[in-house]
Amino acid sequence: MLRTTLVSIVLLLAVSSTLVAGEVATAESATGNTFALVGAHIRGHGVATLIVKDGRIAEITAEEPSESLRVVDVTDRFIGPAFIDSHVHLAYAFSALELARGGIAAAVDLAAPVSFLTTDFAPLRVVLAGPMVTAITGYPTKSWGSDGYGLEIRGVAAATTAVDQLYATGARVIKMPIGDATGEGALTMAKNPSILSDAELKAVADHAHSLGMQVAAHAITDIAAQRAAAAGVDVLAHTPTERLSDATIAAWAERAVISTLAAFPKLSEPAENIRRLREAGATVLYGTDMGYTTFPGINPLELQLLANAGLDNAEIIAAGTTAPAKFWGFGPDYGVLAVGRSANFLVLDGNPEHNRSTLARPLAVYLDGRRIEAAVP
Ligand SMILES: [Zn+2]
């Protein structure tokens, strides 16, 4: 069933990609790509005029725009940077254009078949893992990921080769499952060949680091999160769902965790783990596991659950903008609104620092200075 669904989704993606290019290209071309948004509140500038020229923010000024400029009236609206989702699956559901319409400028795809590594996701900027590096018959090759979502290895030499192979094909982050989805961890590893050994985990992480890649782990249990830290993993792909020990929290204090709280909204441990990880100093990255979760855009439930876990609205916005831009190396054009940078921003009906849910329903999304057409007329 899932297999059939995935195949049809992949076909749909292939068909829709030509539409994507056409729709985006026509968005601003009729009126030129230099224009001024007038009357919106912009953090740090009060009510200001934002001038976009050739895809970049040319000016943020208190002055009225010159008469020759095309003006977009956004009086009383709020303008803020577009979001970065640090955990998506573009192979499962939603086109890049659907994410863009929902306010996402950049994303990290944490498991897809190799073919996705060479797919053009414009107008989104996407960093991809490709298949997870996993043990022979390991997660997820015997479950949802049997169609190429796992690259199976055995031994340290194979670990290095797999990382080289993924890098050469376009992967810029490596993802490994640690333990398994049902919570078996290191204790069963010796008897369970479908879990990567500590030596294999470390070989993958070391080699990925030597190529400049970040390493993410699917580690749901305390033991798995501990093993991930010991192997040198940089980021947890999910907040673990089992209560983390103080030692595990300490091991992750200088690393990062992708929230994905909306992927398991009924559990209370993830929120508590996020709270303790933050207190210890870990970086929280907004991520939704989109594809598994089904909201295309900035997910209001994820925002709410992050708030429940103790983040204020400014911290939630940072987890979806400045923090992931820095962590993943998306560069200075993402996660910020500043003169000289790419015009990647949202027009919102309220101040997101007062009302975070406004982020989930942007009135308009601009990427590289082009307005992304609304999903619903
Ligand atoms: Zn995922």
Side-chain angles (χ1 to χ4, degrees), residues 2 6 9 85 87-94 109-111 139 144 149 175 218 220 238 241 260-265 267 288-296 299 302:
L2 181 59
L6 285 174
I9 285 165
D85 190 323
H87 188 150
V88 304
H89 297 281
L90 285 156
Y92 295 179
F94 307 128
D109 188 296
L110 287 179
Y139 178 83
W144 59 267
Y149 289 80
K175 184 178 180 191
H218 176 101
I220 294 299
H238 300 278
T241 55
T260 77
L261 299 172
F264 18 75
L267 304 182
T288 60
D289 206 359
M290 195 190 304
Y292 175 68
T293 58
T294 56
F295 187 91
N299 187 325
E302 191 68 35

Side-chain angles (χ1 to χ4, degrees), residues 284-372:
V284 174
L285 305 174
Y286 164 93
T288 60
D289 206 359
M290 195 190 304
Y292 175 68
T293 58
T294 56
F295 187 91
I298 303 173
N299 187 325
L301 180 59
E302 191 68 35
L303 300 175
Q304 180 58 48
L305 294 171
L306 281 165
N308 294 353
L311 281 75
D312 67 26
N313 290 342
E315 289 165 339
I316 292 170
I317 293 167
T321 56
T322 49
K326 182 171 175 221
F327 182 83
W328 299 109
F330 277 115
D333 288 335
Y334 291 86
V336 293
L337 194 73
V339 171
R341 308 292 175 77
S342 261
N344 297 322
F345 59 79
L346 314 174
V347 179
L348 303 169
D349 65 2
N351 183 344
E353 292 195 32
H354 299 156
N355 173 15
R356 64 185 161 270
S357 65
T358 190
L359 291 161
R361 42 168 204 277
L363 299 172
V365 178
Y366 289 79
L367 298 185
D368 293 323
R370 291 182 188 279
R371 179 160 181 187
I372 306 299

Side-chain angles (χ1 to χ4, degrees), residues 127-155:
V127 166
L128 293 107
M132 291 189 218
V133 179
T134 189
I136 308 284
T137 75
Y139 178 83
T141 65
K142 295 295 162 198
S143 53
W144 59 267
S146 59
D147 274 348
Y149 289 80
L151 180 57
E152 296 167 69
I153 62 151
R154 178 172 289 152

Side-chain angles (χ1 to χ4, degrees), residues 171-231:
R172 289 298 177 267
V173 51
I174 294 291
K175 184 178 180 191
M176 300 186 283
I178 299 186
D180 65 27
T182 56
E184 290 176 301
L187 296 178
T188 57
M189 184 188 68
K191 291 179 205 153
N192 188 347
S194 67
I195 295 173
L196 291 173
S197 70
D198 288 341
E200 288 164 340
L201 294 173
K202 187 166 188 317
V204 169
D206 285 352
H207 199 58
H209 289 153
S210 78
L211 294 170
M213 287 192 276
Q214 299 279 27
V215 180
H218 176 101
I220 294 299
T221 62
D222 182 57
I223 288 172
Q226 239 177 65
R227 293 186 67 216

Side-chain angles (χ1 to χ4, degrees), residues 51-63:
I51 297 174
V52 174
K53 189 174 184 190
D54 298 329
R56 300 203 157 260
I57 297 171
E59 216 178 320
I60 301 174
T61 171
E63 309 283 307

